[in-house]
Amino acid sequence: MFEAVYYEVESIDGDYANLKRMDQEGEEPKLVARALLPEEIMEGMKLKYELMQYEICD
């Protein structure tokens, strides 16, 4: 079984977003194409990655 991974949108740069994993300190941000992310994302939002999909979480 896959576990959900939680990220924070650290920054948005054009067609890409830098996501910081919330459960691992010191890890480099993950660069993700915005086409793979919910359209309404903004910096500071929390995302859940599960079953190869990102979704906004509260």
Side-chain angles (χ1 to χ4, degrees):
M1 232 0 128
F2 294 103
E3 286 190 37
V5 179
Y6 294 88
Y7 292 95
E8 181 177 344
V9 180
E10 192 171 75
S11 63
I12 297 172
D13 185 18
D15 290 336
Y16 295 91
N18 287 296
L19 305 182
K20 182 174 85 175
R21 192 162 168 169
M22 297 179 67
D23 64 343
Q24 294 183 353
E25 290 294 318
E27 188 172 299
E28 288 292 315
K30 180 179 180 178
L31 187 65
V32 178
R34 291 200 50 198
L36 300 174
L37 301 172
E39 195 173 310
E40 61 274 13
I41 66 161
M42 293 186 300
E43 291 180 6
M45 281 188 159
K46 309 287 191 270
L47 300 175
K48 177 172 81 168
Y49 179 71
E50 187 175 38
L51 300 174
M52 298 177 59
Q53 291 187 356
Y54 291 93
E55 64 181 57
I56 295 171
C57 58
D58 298 327

